[in-house]
Amino acid sequence: MLAAAVLGTASTALAAGPAQATGEATLTADPLATWQTDGIVWSLAYAKGIVYVGGTFEHIRPPGAAPGSGELARTNFAAFDAKTGQPLPCAPAFSGGSGTVRALKPSPDGSLLYIGGSFGKAGPVGRSNTAALNTADCTIGAAWQPTVSSTVRAIDVTDDAVYIGGGFDTVQGQTRERIAALRPNGALLPFKATVRGSSIPNDPTPGVNAITVAPKLNKVIIGGRFTSVNGSLFGVHALAGLDATTGKVVNSFSGWIPQRSAVKTLVNDGTNFYLGAEGTGGGVFDGRAAGRLSDGSQIWKDTCLGATQAVLPYKGVLYSGSHAHNCESTPGGFPDIGNRQHFLAQSISDKTILPWFPDTNDGIGEQIGPRALTMADGVLWAGGEFTTVNETPQQGLTRFAAAPDTNAPQVPLLSGASTARGKITLQWKASWDRDNGVLTYKIYRDGEYLTSLTKDSRYWDRPDMSFTDTVQPGAQHRYSLEVTDGTNVSGRNGPVYVTARN
């Protein structure tokens, strides 16, 4: 949807509403019918027409099905046709350890899917917290079987290296503290960085949560819950840029991540990198930031509260999953009104929050809501802990496409009164739409179209609107109102009967 489009023809323009960026188009906020899980989705990946889902679950079930209905067994891993959304038979079980898949990343050519988590078995074979899947035939790769001492939470891949991060302290029997690099055949590379401490007091899961690699710059950026890299006690906190060959710190990002905040997600588009953070305690940095890969300089940083778990850049928009509840200091943002907005879209150019507001509930587990995002052929897949999407039951997975936009705005309550001779004033409160900021209000008199007004609105900012009609004194007229987002039209409200003063 166009973030700043003016829909329809307006004969009367009212004052501008919330701040917004210009030109960025978002996806619709109308979810596609999507299969569900019976547990938490921690990670998503796309390769060669297939979307892979990793998490902590035992079954999947059809769209709209209640828990326990129409289930297919899937142990912490599932695969879906990216075009149709239908489940595929590729379903190796990941078991042992804590029985969970935390990270998925395809090789650059899509032939392998690297998998991390806490497990001792991948399909029929033993594996130590990481495995590789041959995407052509859904077999567990024989070459990739490194021994990793604890949970793998993050993976990124280049043509000749696989970087893994997590809570481990040894890989292949050698010391590798929370970050390691291996060849695609599982051989340990010389890359070595010692990641220690925790940015969160009493943290049970210190270590590396996120990795993004820029091979052309020979750089690896890591994020997580740590306070020291390679012995540095100052300047490195939860985020560091490393030389991709040696592990030496090349960017410290001093001051980016405050005390009691951790980096939960990292991604790059070849030019910039983007992160999402989670704070512990009130008012701690929970939002998103954008930086330049080349020199590590900060482009922008928002101030939203509500832990961010996933970010994904797409066509000039940064999509994110969080439980944002206060973004009042971020352009286009909302105050703390007791809500939690679980999906956001922001302009990559200036961090403005765009009018795209699909939503979930907090769900199960830690009650965070969405935890993972991936783009598959123009369709955004989201996974997490949620059990509803846009107030409709839907567990673990959902999808959003660029079209069609199917939901019309609600029509507001209309009232009218004659305020002067031959004058009738109509009043209503602006409606709002999940994926359009500017709405058009069409006024009808005696069943015939009269005029249109446009207004920018959000669910937390619905301005009062009015229109004064000039008619014959003493005449009674019937008025009604409908609202359109440019594609969908609400039903008409009213009618309201008003007699003009003599």
Side-chain angles (χ1 to χ4, degrees):
M1 318 314 301
L2 283 180
V6 177
L7 308 178
T9 302
S11 60
T12 304
L14 300 184
Q20 60 182 5
T22 57
E24 289 90 344
T26 66
L27 304 170
T28 74
D30 305 323
L32 301 173
T34 306
W35 278 66
Q36 307 172 70
T37 65
D38 63 355
I40 299 169
V41 172
W42 294 103
S43 186
L44 296 166
Y46 170 70
K48 293 194 170 183
I50 299 174
V51 172
Y52 298 94
V53 178
T56 310
F57 51 84
E58 297 179 352
H59 302 89
I60 60 174
R61 64 181 185 275
S69 302
E71 291 184 335
L72 300 176
R74 295 291 188 274
T75 304
N76 305 318
F77 183 88
F80 298 88
D81 184 288
K83 185 176 182 179
T84 67
Q86 292 299 304
L88 298 173
C90 179
F94 286 79
S95 57
S98 297
T100 189
V101 171
R102 291 276 184 164
L104 301 170
K105 189 70 176 185
S107 59
D109 65 2
S111 64
L112 289 171
L113 177 72
Y114 291 93
I115 302 166
S118 175
F119 52 82
K121 194 173 182 181
V125 297
R127 290 292 185 268
S128 176
N129 301 312
T130 186
L133 182 85
N134 295 305
T135 58
D137 60 7
C138 192
T139 59
I140 301 299
W144 178 263
Q145 44 181 313
T147 300
V148 184
S149 64
S150 189
T151 304
V152 173
R153 296 176 177 272
I155 303 175
D156 205 0
V157 186
T158 68
D159 287 330
D160 51 18
V162 181
Y163 295 85
I164 62 172
F168 51 82
D169 52 25
T170 64
V171 177
Q172 300 291 60
Q174 297 187 41
T175 299
R176 291 292 188 275
E177 297 191 46
R178 279 87 184 235
I179 181 76
L182 303 100
R183 298 189 188 280
N185 64 6
L188 199 60
L189 286 166
F191 171 94
K192 188 174 184 180
T194 301
V195 180
R196 293 179 178 173
S198 175
S199 56
I200 306 299
N202 303 314
D203 187 1
T205 58
V208 173
N209 295 326
I211 302 172
T212 191
V213 184
K216 291 182 179 179
L217 297 170
N218 196 43
K219 183 182 292 188
V220 179
I221 300 176
I222 63 171
R225 303 171 180 265
F226 52 82
T227 55
S228 171
V229 177
N230 296 338
S232 171
L233 298 178
F234 303 99
V236 174
H237 182 83
L239 184 68
L242 310 177
D243 183 286
T245 302
T246 65
K248 178 183 177 181
V249 175
V250 294
N251 296 119
S252 62
F253 303 109
S254 179
W256 278 50
I257 311 299
Q259 295 296 320
R260 296 187 292 118
S261 282
V263 172
K264 296 301 296 288
T265 179
L266 281 165
V267 66
N268 82 77
D269 58 14
T271 302
N272 300 329
F273 69 95
Y274 311 90
L275 66 84
E278 175 183 275
T280 298
V284 182
F285 177 56
D286 275 334
R288 290 141 292 272
R292 290 185 181 86
L293 281 171
S294 58
D295 60 7
S297 62
Q298 188 176 111
I299 299 172
W300 56 257
K301 181 178 177 182
D302 73 30
T303 55
C304 293
L305 299 178
T308 305
Q309 305 296 317
V311 293
L312 189 148
Y314 181 70
K315 293 187 175 181
V317 176
L318 185 68
Y319 294 92
S320 61
S322 68
H323 58 263
H325 58 86
N326 187 340
C327 291
E328 64 183 350
S329 297
T330 298
F334 44 87
D336 194 340
I337 54 175
N339 68 309
R340 285 188 166 196
Q341 178 63 46
H342 294 86
F343 291 116
L344 291 177
Q346 291 173 272
S347 166
I348 283 177
S349 66
D350 65 4
K351 75 182 176 185
T352 296
I353 295 173
L354 305 174
W356 184 76
F357 300 109
D359 202 14
T360 72
N361 63 354
D362 289 344
I364 60 176
E366 296 177 29
Q367 300 183 328
I368 294 292
R371 285 194 174 271
L373 300 172
T374 197
M375 188 64 69
D377 295 333
V379 175
L380 178 67
W381 290 64
E385 298 175 329
F386 52 84
T387 59
T388 67
V389 177
N390 291 354
E391 289 82 50
T392 298
Q394 175 70 25
Q395 185 172 1
L397 282 171
T398 190
R399 298 180 294 158
F400 301 97
D405 180 3
T406 59
N407 283 334
Q410 284 192 329
V411 64
L413 182 66
L414 179 68
S415 65
S418 182
T419 55
R421 187 173 186 271
K423 301 291 185 181
I424 292 175
T425 298
L426 305 173
Q427 294 181 314
W428 66 96
K429 183 177 286 292
S431 186
W432 74 282
D433 188 75
R434 288 188 183 273
D435 49 25
N436 291 277
V438 178
L439 302 178
T440 297
Y441 300 80
K442 296 183 176 182
I443 300 171
Y444 294 83
R445 180 213 290 154
D446 302 326
E448 299 293 328
Y449 171 76
L450 178 61
T451 191
S452 293
L453 290 79
T454 60
K455 190 67 174 176
D456 195 352
S457 59
R458 307 289 188 272
Y459 66 83
W460 68 91
D461 186 358
R462 298 175 56 200
D464 292 328
M465 298 181 67
S466 66
F467 173 78
T468 298
D469 192 18
T470 301
V471 298
Q472 288 293 325
Q476 185 186 70
H477 292 282
R478 182 179 80 251
Y479 295 92
S480 58
L481 181 73
E482 65 185 18
V483 189
T484 177
D485 60 10
T487 302
N488 307 287
V489 181
S490 71
R492 292 187 192 177
N493 66 6
V496 171
Y497 294 87
V498 185
T499 300
R501 289 183 184 181
N502 282 308

